[in-house]
Amino acid sequence: MAPLRGRSRELGELLDALRSAGNGRASLAVVTGEPGIGKSALLAAAVEQAERQGFLVTSAAAHQNDNISPLASLAPALRAGPEPLIATQDFLELASLNTQPLWLAERLADLIGRRLAGTRTLIVLDDAQWSDPLTAFVLRVAIARLSAANLLWLLASRPGDLIDQLIDAVGDQIPVHHLSLEPLTADAIQDLAADRLNHPVDPALAVQLAGVQGIPFLAEQLVAGLYLSDENAAGPLPTGLVEGVRRRTNGLSESSRELVRTAAVFGSEFRLEDVAVLMAAPVARLAAPLEEAIQAGLLTDAGSVLRFRHELLRSAALADVPPSAQRALHGAIANQLMSAGRGAAAAAPHVLAVAQSGDIAAVETLREAARDLLATMATTAAEIIQDAFELTRVDDPLRAEVGVEVVSILLTARQYDRAKAFADDLLSGTALYLGPITPELVTTVRLHLAPYQWGNQRLDVQELSPSDPRLAAYRVLAGADVPGTSDDPVAQAILQVAAAEQARAEGRYADARDLYVAARQAETGLGSLPDALVEVGELYCRAEADELPAALERVRELMTAGDSWSAPQLAVLRARLEYAAGNLQEAESAATSGLRWMDQLHDRTLAPAADQVLALIALARGHLTHARKLAGSDPTITTLLAIADGDAKAVGRLAVTRPDFPDRISFLLQADAADELARLSPSAASRGALAVVAAGNDVTELLEAVEVVRTANRPLLLALAEERLGRAALAAGDRQTGVPALERALDSLTALGATAPAGRIQAVLQAAGVRRRRWAAVPPRAQEGWEALTPMERRVALLVAEGHTNRSAAEELVLSASTVGTHLRAVFGKLGVKSRVQLTRLVLERFGPPPNA
């Protein structure tokens, strides 16, 4: 391989990234620059070095027509070599997930991670600017997910939004090396030319090389004889390149020249049989002309397809085809592809190249292409349908019909904001559409939008007309109107969901579950709510109505086989249910995955709900600082933090825990909120918790109540009930009942990883004189900082911050003033403060206003 000239710094940075990958630090390297600047040469040099160092190297290059085939750009890199990154059977199974991009990306990342498993690897993608939308999405997910692999991702691209979005998406997860290539120096260009010639550059060639302006591709073509025009040497580079290609092709046969020009219209990649049809020549007769073009350095044979060696060569060859001939060829290509059964999607770029405003045939072809691509390439479909819309005249009623399709396809592609903005313009009488805005048009557009607005919590009552039964039902769902009835099955299903939402808010979970089920069984049509999101509501209510194991199993199933666009909702639901089932590790994983997917789908609506679960897990583990970071303004989390910090009065505030808070019953139990518990839909959990509260300190009744709770399959709630029983029994002198109850709670909490409540119960047992050969592995208390304070020291600190003196704090705590002083000195030492003022400032920084203010 010829030496790489003028890029020693850039190559050195790539080699550093390779070394880091070899040491287990994955990263992304992106090489950007204009066409011909030397991106591919730099990638080739990095590949050579990686192979010498024993890296597994796999590579691919994207092409202009990739955007009509899912994963077309990345697939060759996944399947290359005798031992590909993705095995054949696994790759075939991935095809079933083409319509579920998030699940596909997660599955693919998992497969690659298993395949690599410590193997030093380089994955290369050249010309990434042409990546198909699914490849672009998969890269964002997989690169972030494989941050712990011995892996370097190396991409080359022209500058643009796609590469900027990728860097933004993964930059917080792994190091990113962004190399922007500048033109080479004159010395580097001359060295490059000397390498190609195998002898020094003579003065005449040096003058010509000065005209390439540091672009290595043009220098190589000049040396190869493709850029020889003396009279144009000092002129614009494109002219010189076109002249060079023209001079080079002049030595070819007429058939070879015609083949090159026809192929240039097809694109950078084409099939010989397609060119043969246009040239009205048998494929066999084109073998010799094709070989001429390959020998001339213009084309390369990639097996099933042929390609131009560089996009600039294609552009130069295309410049020699008159515009009128280009238009005719594009039209002929489009007709040929359609008649050959290759589909409207393959013909679409050529249709667009010749279509003019008002060309109804072109509009219909593009609409067909958009529909064909919608299931697997929704992003491409969205672009094509908008092209079709632009070809219709502003006053043509067909424009409204195509406009409705634009809204629908944008929504399917999950481009909600674009769909809403387009719909508003379409219906507002702007220059976008000057035809009649009929009530039917308005209703149709609003019914397309309404399900997505509900799913994104953006229903706008002002846009929901009461005259249409389905929009009227959405008004009820939005809380604007009182429930009614309807003969329309879609409207009826929407009303059932509205009733389910109301029942759920009131804690009537069994009723809500049945309403969600009925809504999902109804006939669907325009305006129907997304089944996946309705099922999320149903599963939540099933879990609250004594069906937690079954609901949890269904959520787990949906997270591998359901609608991946609902992944954040499913992840948050699973996190809540796993937490209720006491599976803290699984709950944490689900909530974290949900947050990651929200970032990938650019919708963080549910982030506070995921943070709620993570904060509860942090509290259960005794990680108060982390819980406080996640709490935000959530009143229940803030109350739990106050309780953990020793504020005994805060327990009563748990009685107003919101109905949608995770595992709410546990907190109502802690608050002795009998009235709230009585309002809940009857379930083992709610009945048991209410019985525990009603029992007070009656050991016999507590024993019966605990048995009811035991049937609810909620270990955290059961541990609370067992703790109540144990404490009451010990207070009554019944060690035979109290100690086993507390030990059962301790063992359960320890197994779940809930070390904070486990530590509390362990302290009660130790105070009761219980001896064990080995106590639970409750983490030792920190030596300094807020976490180092005992519960009593925290209560003293909080009271002093509120302005209490030692004496008034002692009265509040029923202690002596000297004991309060002893606690206060311990607080000063652990927090590193020297005065009450400093203590108050620290408490204010931690809590905001004093907790009991």
Side-chain angles (χ1 to χ4, degrees), residues 410-411 414-420 449 452-453 458:
L410 283 172
L411 290 170
R414 294 318 194 265
Q415 298 181 29
Y416 172 78
D417 290 335
R418 286 181 65 186
K420 181 65 167 62
L449 288 169
Y452 291 87
Q453 289 177 308
R458 299 181 186 179

Side-chain angles (χ1 to χ4, degrees), residues 567-579:
Q569 290 90 342
L570 290 169
V572 170
L573 177 59
R574 180 178 178 182
R576 293 171 63 102
L577 301 191
E578 296 282 11
Y579 177 81

Side-chain angles (χ1 to χ4, degrees), residues 173 231 249 322 475 627 639 812 852:
Q173 308 292 325
E231 64 272 21
T249 56
R475 290 176 62 87
T639 298
E812 182 80 13
N852 292 327

Side-chain angles (χ1 to χ4, degrees), residues 612 615-616 619 624 627-628 630-658 661 666-668 670-671 760 786 794 798 846-847 849-853:
Q612 273 183 342
L616 289 172
L619 280 162
L624 302 187
R628 187 161 284 106
L630 295 165
S633 59
D634 189 296
T636 301
I637 301 295
T638 303
T639 298
L640 292 170
L641 284 164
I643 295 169
D645 285 329
D647 184 359
K649 294 180 179 179
V651 174
R653 299 205 296 270
L654 292 176
V656 295
T657 299
R658 288 177 50 179
F661 195 82
S666 292
F667 306 113
L668 295 179
Q670 292 179 59
R760 181 182 68 227
W786 193 265
R794 290 176 186 169
L798 293 171
R846 187 176 181 85
F847 295 102
N852 292 327

Side-chain angles (χ1 to χ4, degrees), residues 594-625:
L595 289 169
R596 185 176 71 247
W597 293 336
M598 290 175 214
D599 288 336
Q600 289 160 357
L601 298 176
H602 306 294
D603 184 357
R604 290 186 59 83
T605 304
L606 294 174
D611 285 340
Q612 273 183 342
V613 177
L614 292 173
L616 289 172
I617 295 168
L619 280 162
R621 292 171 176 169
H623 302 160
L624 302 187
T625 299

Side-chain angles (χ1 to χ4, degrees), residues 318-506:
L318 189 61
D320 218 20
V321 182
S324 58
Q326 289 188 38
R327 288 181 55 80
L329 281 170
H330 277 302
I333 291 170
N335 291 334
Q336 176 193 326
L337 293 174
M338 291 289 288
S339 61
R342 301 274 287 282
H350 302 287
V351 170
L352 283 169
V354 298
Q356 296 180 334
S357 179
D359 186 340
I360 302 304
V363 169
E364 292 305 325
T365 299
L366 294 176
R367 293 175 74 181
E368 182 181 346
R371 295 183 199 118
D372 290 346
L373 290 170
L374 186 58
T376 57
M377 301 292 287
T379 302
T380 301
E383 300 305 320
I384 291 176
I385 195 63
Q386 288 183 97
D387 289 330
F389 179 82
E390 292 300 326
L391 287 175
T392 59
R393 294 194 174 95
V394 294
D395 57 351
D396 188 338
L398 178 63
R399 192 172 178 89
E401 184 180 326
V402 180
V404 171
E405 281 192 84
V406 172
V407 173
S408 174
I409 291 176
L410 283 172
L411 290 170
T412 303
R414 294 318 194 265
Q415 298 181 29
Y416 172 78
D417 290 335
R418 286 181 65 186
K420 181 65 167 62
F422 181 90
D424 289 344
D425 285 344
L426 184 71
L427 301 179
S428 60
T430 66
L432 187 71
Y433 173 57
L434 299 179
I437 301 175
T438 64
E440 292 76 14
L441 173 62
V442 174
T443 297
T444 300
V445 170
R446 295 304 180 205
L447 283 174
H448 275 293
L449 288 169
Y452 291 87
Q453 289 177 308
W454 177 70
N456 288 278
Q457 302 177 17
R458 299 181 186 179
L459 273 177
D460 186 346
V461 176
Q462 302 303 316
E463 297 176 349
L464 304 174
S465 169
S467 61
D468 177 83
R470 299 181 185 184
L471 290 178
Y474 271 106
R475 290 176 62 87
V476 175
L477 186 58
D481 289 341
V482 296
T485 58
S486 175
D487 295 331
D488 182 281
V490 173
Q492 188 177 47
I494 297 167
L495 290 172
Q496 286 171 326
V497 171
E501 300 272 288
Q502 181 63 36
R504 174 176 166 180
E506 295 172 357

Side-chain angles (χ1 to χ4, degrees), residues 699 703 725-726 728-740:
V699 175
L703 279 167
L725 170 61
L730 286 181
D734 184 357
R735 291 177 61 87
Q736 194 170 10
T737 300
V739 171

